[in-house]
Amino acid sequence: MREHVEKLLEEGKVDAVLGQRNLGGFPFPFIYTKENISDTAEDFVAGMRYPMPKIFLAMHRDNPDKTFGVVVRGCEERALNEMLKWNQIEADKVVKLGYACSQTQAEACECREPYPTEVLLGDKVDPVAKSERVAEVDELDLGARLDWWKSHFNRCMRCYACRDVCPVCFCKECSLEEPDLIPTEMLPPDMTFHLVRAVHMAGKCIDCGMCEEICSVHIPLRVLFKKVRDIVSETFDYTPGKVDGKSPFNMLGDAVEFSPRPL
Amino acid sequence: MSNQEKTKFEPKVLAFLCTWCTYAGADLAGVSRLQYPPNIRNIRVLCSATVSPHHILKAFAKGADGVMVGGCHIGDCHYLKGNWMTVKRMNFIQDLIDFVGLDSGRLHLDWISAAEGPKFAQVVTDFTKKVKDMGKAESTSAGLADA
Ligand code: SF4
Ligand code: SF4
Ligand code: SF4
Ligand code: FES
């Protein structure tokens, strides 16, 4: 990884590289440049989960002419791929520098692809095919499911952190802030708040889990969005995060493959 | 809900009807003097595809016990393929609301043409009965009082 990054910076293929760095014993997102690269001994990966794609998006919007390298995990690469597909970033302005997650991380995330397509650092570990957390909710009957979700949603304080951290929530105007849709005078917000986001995540969520990680009241948001992903992949045979393919909600297709469900 | 409450319970059913087909079908049912339950409140839309998931979620949040979307048969949509998207969305929302414990049976999509007055009356009758048997819809409020 190190040689690769040094070479990219040296040859001017990238203007800077976004990675992480240990500062005073704590990992931070860090921008490596030709000037500072020789002072840094680290491996660009400090083990912490930061919203790297979202940080890159901000850098890209502020510096549209610059090319950046981004050190990415599997999910972060998928996020960049979605940003590309939704025309948020320019393909030739980003160079992905991939590293594999640990087995512990993959299991904690119940991750189906804990590595990017090209791995420069670390070894690919076993993916986790099925989410036990989703299965646990699936096993409940309708009433118990509703109670379970409400017992979590009732802690929501509408801080919007889940949206702000999400790599595929990049809209300039957000429906969640539309008072006619979700009245603002109510806390916790109506379940509609989470369901609207769930609808918007269909065909977009790449299962990075940042929403759940940032939620300060520990709402199991990832379970909801994992399910959204499952529905989309089972119903439409589409998995967000790949370079090719388009969201089934973004195109009509060549044939009607569905019919209304019977009464 | 007890059985007695259920018999008394009159569900609120909100229907989004495409103006080119189902709305005209409802009109035909009307002029043909076909009987159907008065529980339904019709909202006329330009195409079933203009019904956003937002509208459906909002309807449930506002206390609808059932939501119906009526569109043109596949191939007859006045915007050619609008209803192709409608059916994808509806399938998705049904699975989504089931996962959070709101019953997808309270959401119904049907294709009803302008000529299908009797079908309109039948679908509304059957759907209203189904929703009535299900009882009042659960509140979507996440507040503790309702949880
Ligand atoms: S981060 Fe948590 S508390 Fe904040 S809006 Fe999202 S779900 Fe609600
Ligand atoms: S897991 Fe959460 S933060 Fe990540 S893409 Fe999905 S919704 Fe967004
Ligand atoms: S919640 Fe929806 S409207 Fe808001 S930023 Fe995300 S995708 Fe956009
Ligand atoms: S015009 Fe009737 S469904 Fe599109």
Side-chain angles (χ1 to χ4, degrees), chain A residues 166-168 197 201 205-211 225:
Chain A
C166 173
V168 290
R197 211 169 89 77
M201 289 304 102
C205 169
I206 45 78
D207 187 29
C208 64
M210 289 308 290
C211 47
F225 298 123

Side-chain angles (χ1 to χ4, degrees), chain A residues 163 168-171 173-176 196-197 200-201 204:
Chain A
R163 171 202 68 184
V168 290
C169 267
F170 37 61
C171 308
E173 272 176 48
C174 174
S175 308
L176 300 179
V196 164
R197 211 169 89 77
H200 293 198
M201 289 304 102
K204 274 168 106 194

Side-chain angles (χ1 to χ4, degrees), chain A residues 30 34 37 50 96 119 131 136 151 154 159 170 177 191 196 243:
Chain A
F30 189 80
K34 209 150 70 174
I37 185 88
Y50 279 108
K96 297 173 230 158
V119 177
S131 165
E136 274 169 31
S151 77
N154 72 34
C159 66
F170 37 61
E177 291 180 47
M191 283 172 77
V196 164
V243 203

Side-chain angles (χ1 to χ4, degrees), chain B residues 14-130:
Chain B
L14 192 69
F16 296 98
L17 308 180
C18 164
T19 188
W20 302 108
C21 50
T22 316
Y23 193 83
D27 227 13
L28 180 62
V31 290
S32 320
R33 303 195 171 275
L34 299 173
Q35 293 291 319
Y36 60 84
N39 304 61
I40 189 163
R41 276 87 162 160
N42 294 335
I43 295 181
R44 183 180 182 183
V45 295
L46 263 181
C47 170
S48 66
T50 64
V51 181
S52 150
H54 293 176
H55 298 124
I56 292 164
L57 294 171
K58 181 77 191 178
F60 285 122
K62 281 288 210 179
D65 299 299
V67 176
M68 176 180 146
V69 177
C72 308
H73 287 269
I74 294 293
D76 292 344
C77 174
H78 281 234
Y79 307 95
L80 305 178
K81 294 176 177 178
N83 52 5
W84 292 29
M85 193 54 86
T86 311
V87 65
K88 285 194 205 177
R89 277 189 199 138
M90 293 288 287
N91 273 281
F92 172 78
I93 306 167
Q94 284 175 325
D95 287 346
L96 175 69
I97 62 178
D98 264 338
F99 188 65
V100 295
L102 302 168
D103 201 326
S104 65
R106 295 185 183 275
L107 178 57
H108 182 62
L109 170 67
D110 228 308
W111 307 138
I112 303 170
S113 79
E116 292 175 316
K119 178 171 179 190
F120 178 83
Q122 195 58 51
V123 169
V124 170
T125 307
D126 293 350
F127 186 50
T128 307
K129 180 173 182 311
K130 175 178 172 187

